Amino acid sequence: MCSQVYHGETAAPLELFEQIALRIAKSNLGETTRRFSTLHRASGTPDAEEAADYLLQKLEEYGIPHRRLRFTGYMSRAVDASLEMLSPQKTEFDVVPCGFTKNVTNLEGEVFYDALCEKERLTYQEQAERFRGAAGKFVLTKIYCSDVVLEAAAAGAIGVIGMYNGPGESPHYFGASNHNGAPTPENRHLLPQLPCVDCTRAAGETILKAMEQGPVRVRMSARAETGPTEASIPVAFIQGTEENFVLMDGHYDCHCTGMTDNGGGDAILLELTRVFHEMRHLLRRSILVCWWAGHEFGQYAGSTWYSDTYFEQLRDHCVAHINIDIAGCSNAKQIRARTTRMEGQAFTEGLIRKYTGQEPKPYIQLPHLGEQSFLGREVPITIMLKYEALQSDTGGNVGGGNWWHSREDTLDKVDLDIAMRDQRRFAVIHFAGVGDVQTDLFLPGQYDREDVLRCAETFLNGNTDYETPLREALRLMEQEGFENADMVFVTDGECVLPDSFLEKLKAEQSARGFQITGILLDQEDAGFEFSLRESCTNVYRTSQLSRDQIAEQLVVSRVA
């Protein structure tokens, strides 16, 4: 007979993380992502406000204290754009306008290539000469338009074409300005005075290839709706035992339907809010949860407005800021840490190592992205962990995937299994007769559906021996990082354990504090003796309960 021990990581008593993880419901994540996938959530638009309505309705349904804040930000929404090569041959390209672009129609000119954009660091001399010759021409660059538009304008250029460094077939949406929040008299000069569009890498390479033959002329149109826009910020508050709080946030506005940036993150944020509220009796610090508008369309207008409006509250009581942006993406094989490093690099690396089983990648300093609106409010810790594809898988420097910030960022790019995978590690120990054992390790981030199916289909030879798998379980606790594990022992066969081993097992239980739950598949042999009975917290029999009832009892016992 073939039986199994399921070895799941937990604490005894369960740590807060373990209790939170056990309550996360994949079905809730699915409901939110499906709803958001139907909405084009540009800040302040009816679709975006419908998304805010949904979040607030769910918070009401869950009984979580919440409110809707409204603010007015200076925002820019891409409308349409076109780019046509006129000579040496005619070619039309698929392009999108940048946010805050200057609106133009059928503007024609020659193309100038920003060759120094391919160099990582420039000398002062190179920077001074970078756009010499660009006067009266369109600048074609391989970096963001926002990084060159001011210098290009100063050199007399008439427009900027951003060529995205990724193999995607759709152009990517970006803003052309580097200001933060509502423009002020001091930074209004950062608003671009040139038309800016983004094209694919393939389109840019076509233009560069044509430039090898001689001058290239193009015709550009670009249009964005730019101006004051009112939008909503859904806010929830979970009271802990003290007034100090952790800010947990993400943006719900997006380009197109933006399912990985940031529809999946919004779903995770909502589900975490539900579960933290259920477990609020265990919280020391309170949790403030915000979903921002104005992120993609207003240069972080929502979070900067909040930061200014609630300055004293943030300065006096916000102890940490956790930002959820790009999570649950298909093919996300790594987690990159972007933090202020005030939490201590070892802390973040330890979390990644513990809960994913992966060695942390090198830190990335916080770039000009994410909600960095709170750095001047004396909030000591900011952590932004992004789930990303490997660069070798994307063929370029891409955030969540080749679909990032494009019309291709649709529901099929969200992987709820990846969103759920970092909950816990577990092992399955298949066993039969003496010495006949096979262990399948499931470390977060290192397995997929096929691995689970292969495990489920495993069947060893006949006979039943309990001692072999139990020794393997103890080895996992000692050597493989399962020191906080409990056991679920599943068998359809009877076996007598030696008294000497039962004493050893009892001593290990006493020292480590783990629990054993027995599941006896005895529907065809009801009532057979179970020699582990005295070591088990609970024993469930299929002759008495259905599989669903047993599963429900297991969940209830883990979170009680």
PDB file of all heavy atoms in Angstrom, residues 379-405:
ATOM      1  N   VAL A 379       9.280  58.940   7.175  1.00  0.00           N
ATOM      2  CA  VAL A 379       8.900  57.524   7.230  1.00  0.00           C
ATOM      3  C   VAL A 379      10.183  56.731   7.030  1.00  0.00           C
ATOM      4  O   VAL A 379      10.791  56.782   5.961  1.00  0.00           O
ATOM      5  CB  VAL A 379       7.872  57.176   6.136  1.00  0.00           C
ATOM      6  CG1 VAL A 379       7.532  55.696   6.169  1.00  0.00           C
ATOM      7  CG2 VAL A 379       6.603  58.018   6.318  1.00  0.00           C
ATOM      8  N   PRO A 380      10.639  56.007   8.021  1.00  0.00           N
ATOM      9  CA  PRO A 380      11.995  55.457   7.961  1.00  0.00           C
ATOM     10  C   PRO A 380      12.190  54.316   6.969  1.00  0.00           C
ATOM     11  O   PRO A 380      13.271  54.162   6.411  1.00  0.00           O
ATOM     12  CB  PRO A 380      12.247  54.970   9.393  1.00  0.00           C
ATOM     13  CG  PRO A 380      10.875  54.708   9.946  1.00  0.00           C
ATOM     14  CD  PRO A 380       9.982  55.717   9.310  1.00  0.00           C
ATOM     15  N   ILE A 381      11.148  53.523   6.768  1.00  0.00           N
ATOM     16  CA  ILE A 381      11.306  52.301   5.968  1.00  0.00           C
ATOM     17  C   ILE A 381      10.359  52.330   4.777  1.00  0.00           C
ATOM     18  O   ILE A 381       9.163  52.546   4.939  1.00  0.00           O
ATOM     19  CB  ILE A 381      11.038  51.047   6.830  1.00  0.00           C
ATOM     20  CG1 ILE A 381      12.082  50.924   7.943  1.00  0.00           C
ATOM     21  CG2 ILE A 381      11.028  49.784   5.964  1.00  0.00           C
ATOM     22  CD1 ILE A 381      11.793  49.815   8.938  1.00  0.00           C
ATOM     23  N   THR A 382      10.893  52.145   3.591  1.00  0.00           N
ATOM     24  CA  THR A 382      10.079  51.956   2.395  1.00  0.00           C
ATOM     25  C   THR A 382      10.562  50.694   1.693  1.00  0.00           C
ATOM     26  O   THR A 382      11.751  50.564   1.397  1.00  0.00           O
ATOM     27  CB  THR A 382      10.186  53.152   1.428  1.00  0.00           C
ATOM     28  OG1 THR A 382       9.519  54.277   1.997  1.00  0.00           O
ATOM     29  CG2 THR A 382       9.522  52.827   0.096  1.00  0.00           C
ATOM     30  N   ILE A 383       9.648  49.763   1.457  1.00  0.00           N
ATOM     31  CA  ILE A 383       9.997  48.502   0.807  1.00  0.00           C
ATOM     32  C   ILE A 383       9.080  48.314  -0.396  1.00  0.00           C
ATOM     33  O   ILE A 383       7.860  48.356  -0.279  1.00  0.00           O
ATOM     34  CB  ILE A 383       9.857  47.301   1.761  1.00  0.00           C
ATOM     35  CG1 ILE A 383      10.806  47.455   2.955  1.00  0.00           C
ATOM     36  CG2 ILE A 383      10.143  45.990   1.028  1.00  0.00           C
ATOM     37  CD1 ILE A 383      10.676  46.356   3.988  1.00  0.00           C
ATOM     38  N   MET A 384       9.693  48.117  -1.552  1.00  0.00           N
ATOM     39  CA  MET A 384       8.947  47.866  -2.783  1.00  0.00           C
ATOM     40  C   MET A 384       9.558  46.616  -3.416  1.00  0.00           C
ATOM     41  O   MET A 384      10.670  46.654  -3.931  1.00  0.00           O
ATOM     42  CB  MET A 384       9.075  49.068  -3.726  1.00  0.00           C
ATOM     43  CG  MET A 384       8.359  48.905  -5.044  1.00  0.00           C
ATOM     44  SD  MET A 384       8.698  50.344  -6.096  1.00  0.00           S
ATOM     45  CE  MET A 384       7.626  49.991  -7.481  1.00  0.00           C
ATOM     46  N   LEU A 385       8.849  45.502  -3.321  1.00  0.00           N
ATOM     47  CA  LEU A 385       9.343  44.244  -3.883  1.00  0.00           C
ATOM     48  C   LEU A 385       8.583  43.964  -5.173  1.00  0.00           C
ATOM     49  O   LEU A 385       7.359  43.886  -5.164  1.00  0.00           O
ATOM     50  CB  LEU A 385       9.144  43.095  -2.892  1.00  0.00           C
ATOM     51  CG  LEU A 385       9.857  43.251  -1.544  1.00  0.00           C
ATOM     52  CD1 LEU A 385       9.535  42.079  -0.638  1.00  0.00           C
ATOM     53  CD2 LEU A 385      11.357  43.366  -1.726  1.00  0.00           C
ATOM     54  N   LYS A 386       9.309  43.811  -6.273  1.00  0.00           N
ATOM     55  CA  LYS A 386       8.658  43.573  -7.561  1.00  0.00           C
ATOM     56  C   LYS A 386       8.916  42.149  -8.026  1.00  0.00           C
ATOM     57  O   LYS A 386      10.049  41.666  -8.005  1.00  0.00           O
ATOM     58  CB  LYS A 386       9.164  44.560  -8.614  1.00  0.00           C
ATOM     59  CG  LYS A 386       8.542  45.933  -8.506  1.00  0.00           C
ATOM     60  CD  LYS A 386       8.669  46.692  -9.819  1.00  0.00           C
ATOM     61  CE  LYS A 386       7.903  47.991  -9.785  1.00  0.00           C
ATOM     62  NZ  LYS A 386       7.876  48.654 -11.088  1.00  0.00           N
ATOM     63  N   TYR A 387       7.838  41.496  -8.451  1.00  0.00           N
ATOM     64  CA  TYR A 387       7.932  40.159  -9.019  1.00  0.00           C
ATOM     65  C   TYR A 387       8.161  40.319 -10.518  1.00  0.00           C
ATOM     66  O   TYR A 387       7.296  40.818 -11.228  1.00  0.00           O
ATOM     67  CB  TYR A 387       6.638  39.391  -8.765  1.00  0.00           C
ATOM     68  CG  TYR A 387       6.416  39.000  -7.329  1.00  0.00           C
ATOM     69  CD1 TYR A 387       6.339  39.962  -6.322  1.00  0.00           C
ATOM     70  CD2 TYR A 387       6.301  37.671  -6.967  1.00  0.00           C
ATOM     71  CE1 TYR A 387       6.137  39.609  -5.001  1.00  0.00           C
ATOM     72  CE2 TYR A 387       6.088  37.299  -5.649  1.00  0.00           C
ATOM     73  CZ  TYR A 387       6.007  38.273  -4.679  1.00  0.00           C
ATOM     74  OH  TYR A 387       5.807  37.920  -3.374  1.00  0.00           O
ATOM     75  N   GLU A 388       9.316  39.887 -11.003  1.00  0.00           N
ATOM     76  CA  GLU A 388       9.685  40.183 -12.374  1.00  0.00           C
ATOM     77  C   GLU A 388      10.161  38.938 -13.110  1.00  0.00           C
ATOM     78  O   GLU A 388      10.647  37.981 -12.505  1.00  0.00           O
ATOM     79  CB  GLU A 388      10.792  41.243 -12.411  1.00  0.00           C
ATOM     80  CG  GLU A 388      10.381  42.566 -11.801  1.00  0.00           C
ATOM     81  CD  GLU A 388      11.491  43.594 -11.849  1.00  0.00           C
ATOM     82  OE1 GLU A 388      12.635  43.225 -12.203  1.00  0.00           O
ATOM     83  OE2 GLU A 388      11.225  44.764 -11.543  1.00  0.00           O
ATOM     84  N   ALA A 389      10.061  39.017 -14.425  1.00  0.00           N
ATOM     85  CA  ALA A 389      10.642  37.989 -15.276  1.00  0.00           C
ATOM     86  C   ALA A 389      12.150  38.184 -15.333  1.00  0.00           C
ATOM     87  O   ALA A 389      12.665  39.296 -15.127  1.00  0.00           O
ATOM     88  CB  ALA A 389      10.050  38.070 -16.679  1.00  0.00           C
ATOM     89  N   LEU A 390      12.869  37.123 -15.592  1.00  0.00           N
ATOM     90  CA  LEU A 390      14.306  37.241 -15.804  1.00  0.00           C
ATOM     91  C   LEU A 390      14.565  37.999 -17.096  1.00  0.00           C
ATOM     92  O   LEU A 390      13.839  37.852 -18.079  1.00  0.00           O
ATOM     93  CB  LEU A 390      14.948  35.858 -15.876  1.00  0.00           C
ATOM     94  CG  LEU A 390      14.837  34.987 -14.615  1.00  0.00           C
ATOM     95  CD1 LEU A 390      15.367  33.595 -14.908  1.00  0.00           C
ATOM     96  CD2 LEU A 390      15.588  35.617 -13.461  1.00  0.00           C
ATOM     97  N   GLN A 391      15.627  38.801 -17.121  1.00  0.00           N
ATOM     98  CA  GLN A 391      15.938  39.570 -18.318  1.00  0.00           C
ATOM     99  C   GLN A 391      16.217  38.638 -19.494  1.00  0.00           C
ATOM    100  O   GLN A 391      15.911  38.959 -20.642  1.00  0.00           O
ATOM    101  CB  GLN A 391      17.129  40.491 -18.064  1.00  0.00           C
ATOM    102  CG  GLN A 391      17.263  41.605 -19.092  1.00  0.00           C
ATOM    103  CD  GLN A 391      18.151  42.728 -18.609  1.00  0.00           C
ATOM    104  OE1 GLN A 391      18.556  42.739 -17.466  1.00  0.00           O
ATOM    105  NE2 GLN A 391      18.446  43.671 -19.483  1.00  0.00           N
ATOM    106  N   SER A 392      16.775  37.465 -19.198  1.00  0.00           N
ATOM    107  CA  SER A 392      17.046  36.509 -20.272  1.00  0.00           C
ATOM    108  C   SER A 392      15.763  35.981 -20.901  1.00  0.00           C
ATOM    109  O   SER A 392      15.757  35.532 -22.046  1.00  0.00           O
ATOM    110  CB  SER A 392      17.871  35.343 -19.719  1.00  0.00           C
ATOM    111  OG  SER A 392      17.168  34.694 -18.658  1.00  0.00           O
ATOM    112  N   ASP A 393      14.652  36.045 -20.157  1.00  0.00           N
ATOM    113  CA  ASP A 393      13.359  35.572 -20.679  1.00  0.00           C
ATOM    114  C   ASP A 393      12.623  36.639 -21.469  1.00  0.00           C
ATOM    115  O   ASP A 393      11.743  36.330 -22.268  1.00  0.00           O
ATOM    116  CB  ASP A 393      12.466  35.094 -19.532  1.00  0.00           C
ATOM    117  CG  ASP A 393      12.963  33.806 -18.898  1.00  0.00           C
ATOM    118  OD1 ASP A 393      13.780  33.110 -19.541  1.00  0.00           O
ATOM    119  OD2 ASP A 393      12.552  33.501 -17.770  1.00  0.00           O
ATOM    120  N   THR A 394      12.945  37.910 -21.221  1.00  0.00           N
ATOM    121  CA  THR A 394      12.205  38.987 -21.862  1.00  0.00           C
ATOM    122  C   THR A 394      12.935  39.593 -23.054  1.00  0.00           C
ATOM    123  O   THR A 394      12.325  40.249 -23.889  1.00  0.00           O
ATOM    124  CB  THR A 394      11.918  40.124 -20.862  1.00  0.00           C
ATOM    125  OG1 THR A 394      13.159  40.691 -20.420  1.00  0.00           O
ATOM    126  CG2 THR A 394      11.139  39.603 -19.660  1.00  0.00           C
ATOM    127  N   GLY A 395      14.251  39.393 -23.114  1.00  0.00           N
ATOM    128  CA  GLY A 395      15.013  39.964 -24.220  1.00  0.00           C
ATOM    129  C   GLY A 395      15.214  41.456 -24.093  1.00  0.00           C
ATOM    130  O   GLY A 395      15.589  42.127 -25.047  1.00  0.00           O
ATOM    131  N   GLY A 396      14.998  42.003 -22.918  1.00  0.00           N
ATOM    132  CA  GLY A 396      15.188  43.432 -22.732  1.00  0.00           C
ATOM    133  C   GLY A 396      14.922  43.830 -21.298  1.00  0.00           C
ATOM    134  O   GLY A 396      14.582  43.006 -20.448  1.00  0.00           O
ATOM    135  N   ASN A 397      15.082  45.094 -21.005  1.00  0.00           N
ATOM    136  CA  ASN A 397      14.880  45.611 -19.656  1.00  0.00           C
ATOM    137  C   ASN A 397      13.404  45.897 -19.448  1.00  0.00           C
ATOM    138  O   ASN A 397      12.937  47.002 -19.652  1.00  0.00           O
ATOM    139  CB  ASN A 397      15.717  46.880 -19.470  1.00  0.00           C
ATOM    140  CG  ASN A 397      15.622  47.399 -18.052  1.00  0.00           C
ATOM    141  OD1 ASN A 397      15.317  46.650 -17.144  1.00  0.00           O
ATOM    142  ND2 ASN A 397      15.888  48.674 -17.863  1.00  0.00           N
ATOM    143  N   VAL A 398      12.657  44.881 -19.061  1.00  0.00           N
ATOM    144  CA  VAL A 398      11.210  44.981 -18.957  1.00  0.00           C
ATOM    145  C   VAL A 398      10.796  44.759 -17.506  1.00  0.00           C
ATOM    146  O   VAL A 398      11.354  43.910 -16.818  1.00  0.00           O
ATOM    147  CB  VAL A 398      10.528  43.940 -19.870  1.00  0.00           C
ATOM    148  CG1 VAL A 398       9.026  44.091 -19.805  1.00  0.00           C
ATOM    149  CG2 VAL A 398      11.015  44.105 -21.300  1.00  0.00           C
ATOM    150  N   GLY A 399       9.796  45.528 -17.034  1.00  0.00           N
ATOM    151  CA  GLY A 399       9.344  45.394 -15.661  1.00  0.00           C
ATOM    152  C   GLY A 399       8.672  44.063 -15.411  1.00  0.00           C
ATOM    153  O   GLY A 399       9.297  43.075 -15.080  1.00  0.00           O
ATOM    154  N   GLY A 400       7.342  44.004 -15.565  1.00  0.00           N
ATOM    155  CA  GLY A 400       6.631  42.768 -15.295  1.00  0.00           C
ATOM    156  C   GLY A 400       6.710  41.763 -16.422  1.00  0.00           C
ATOM    157  O   GLY A 400       6.561  40.573 -16.221  1.00  0.00           O
ATOM    158  N   GLY A 401       6.941  42.204 -17.640  1.00  0.00           N
ATOM    159  CA  GLY A 401       6.992  41.337 -18.812  1.00  0.00           C
ATOM    160  C   GLY A 401       6.958  42.201 -20.057  1.00  0.00           C
ATOM    161  O   GLY A 401       6.851  43.430 -19.992  1.00  0.00           O
ATOM    162  N   ASN A 402       7.039  41.563 -21.216  1.00  0.00           N
ATOM    163  CA  ASN A 402       7.052  42.323 -22.473  1.00  0.00           C
ATOM    164  C   ASN A 402       5.755  43.101 -22.700  1.00  0.00           C
ATOM    165  O   ASN A 402       5.710  44.001 -23.542  1.00  0.00           O
ATOM    166  CB  ASN A 402       7.293  41.377 -23.645  1.00  0.00           C
ATOM    167  CG  ASN A 402       8.699  40.815 -23.636  1.00  0.00           C
ATOM    168  OD1 ASN A 402       9.637  41.489 -23.222  1.00  0.00           O
ATOM    169  ND2 ASN A 402       8.845  39.573 -24.075  1.00  0.00           N
ATOM    170  N   TRP A 403       4.718  42.749 -21.977  1.00  0.00           N
ATOM    171  CA  TRP A 403       3.420  43.405 -22.130  1.00  0.00           C
ATOM    172  C   TRP A 403       3.288  44.653 -21.252  1.00  0.00           C
ATOM    173  O   TRP A 403       2.299  45.362 -21.331  1.00  0.00           O
ATOM    174  CB  TRP A 403       2.328  42.414 -21.728  1.00  0.00           C
ATOM    175  CG  TRP A 403       2.606  41.788 -20.392  1.00  0.00           C
ATOM    176  CD1 TRP A 403       2.343  42.316 -19.156  1.00  0.00           C
ATOM    177  CD2 TRP A 403       3.227  40.531 -20.157  1.00  0.00           C
ATOM    178  NE1 TRP A 403       2.768  41.470 -18.161  1.00  0.00           N
ATOM    179  CE2 TRP A 403       3.311  40.357 -18.749  1.00  0.00           C
ATOM    180  CE3 TRP A 403       3.718  39.512 -20.997  1.00  0.00           C
ATOM    181  CZ2 TRP A 403       3.874  39.217 -18.164  1.00  0.00           C
ATOM    182  CZ3 TRP A 403       4.262  38.395 -20.404  1.00  0.00           C
ATOM    183  CH2 TRP A 403       4.334  38.245 -19.009  1.00  0.00           C
ATOM    184  N   TRP A 404       4.280  44.919 -20.415  1.00  0.00           N
ATOM    185  CA  TRP A 404       4.215  46.003 -19.431  1.00  0.00           C
ATOM    186  C   TRP A 404       3.861  47.333 -20.082  1.00  0.00           C
ATOM    187  O   TRP A 404       4.425  47.705 -21.118  1.00  0.00           O
ATOM    188  CB  TRP A 404       5.563  46.097 -18.719  1.00  0.00           C
ATOM    189  CG  TRP A 404       5.683  47.154 -17.671  1.00  0.00           C
ATOM    190  CD1 TRP A 404       4.835  47.374 -16.626  1.00  0.00           C
ATOM    191  CD2 TRP A 404       6.729  48.125 -17.556  1.00  0.00           C
ATOM    192  NE1 TRP A 404       5.279  48.411 -15.868  1.00  0.00           N
ATOM    193  CE2 TRP A 404       6.448  48.894 -16.401  1.00  0.00           C
ATOM    194  CE3 TRP A 404       7.862  48.409 -18.295  1.00  0.00           C
ATOM    195  CZ2 TRP A 404       7.261  49.937 -15.983  1.00  0.00           C
ATOM    196  CZ3 TRP A 404       8.687  49.446 -17.881  1.00  0.00           C
ATOM    197  CH2 TRP A 404       8.377  50.200 -16.738  1.00  0.00           C
ATOM    198  N   HIS A 405       2.912  48.059 -19.502  1.00  0.00           N
ATOM    199  CA  HIS A 405       2.501  49.397 -19.964  1.00  0.00           C
ATOM    200  C   HIS A 405       2.035  49.388 -21.423  1.00  0.00           C
ATOM    201  O   HIS A 405       2.221  50.371 -22.138  1.00  0.00           O
ATOM    202  CB  HIS A 405       3.654  50.400 -19.807  1.00  0.00           C
ATOM    203  CG  HIS A 405       3.702  51.049 -18.468  1.00  0.00           C
ATOM    204  ND1 HIS A 405       3.944  52.383 -18.285  1.00  0.00           N
ATOM    205  CD2 HIS A 405       3.531  50.542 -17.222  1.00  0.00           C
ATOM    206  CE1 HIS A 405       3.936  52.673 -16.989  1.00  0.00           C
ATOM    207  NE2 HIS A 405       3.685  51.563 -16.321  1.00  0.00           N
TER     208      HIS A 405
END
